[in-house]
Amino acid sequence: GVDTGYVLAGSGTLIIEGKPDQALKAGDSYAVPAGVAHDVKSGPDGFKIMAAYIVEKGKAVATPAPK
């Protein structure tokens, strides 16, 4: 499902397939569309987020990306 979040502290880089990397810092928010592969790399001081996932009933919250 859709992954949305808000950066509480620290910094990091959001990597979404098909889009440029997005630098995030405290106070920033983000959204990742459903079904799109993504990853996050935390910055030197760590990365604390509050995230919400909107998922269809009975579906998995996350699935591993194919190798």
Side-chain angles (χ1 to χ4, degrees), residues 11-15 39-43 47:
S11 63
T13 303
L14 176 62
I15 303 158
D39 195 5
V40 175
K41 292 185 180 179
S42 66
F47 192 50

Side-chain angles (χ1 to χ4, degrees), residues 1 53-63:
Y53 303 91
I54 302 166
V55 183
E56 286 183 52
K57 187 174 182 176
K59 300 269 183 159
V61 172
T63 56

Side-chain angles (χ1 to χ4, degrees), residues 6-56:
Y6 178 80
V7 182
L8 298 170
S11 63
T13 303
L14 176 62
I15 303 158
I16 300 175
E17 187 177 86
K19 293 189 173 190
D21 292 357
Q22 181 180 355
L24 297 171
K25 63 185 181 328
D28 289 343
S29 61
Y30 66 87
V32 180
V36 177
H38 61 284
D39 195 5
V40 175
K41 292 185 180 179
S42 66
D45 298 326
F47 192 50
K48 184 185 235 182
I49 63 170
M50 176 177 56
Y53 303 91
I54 302 166
V55 183
E56 286 183 52

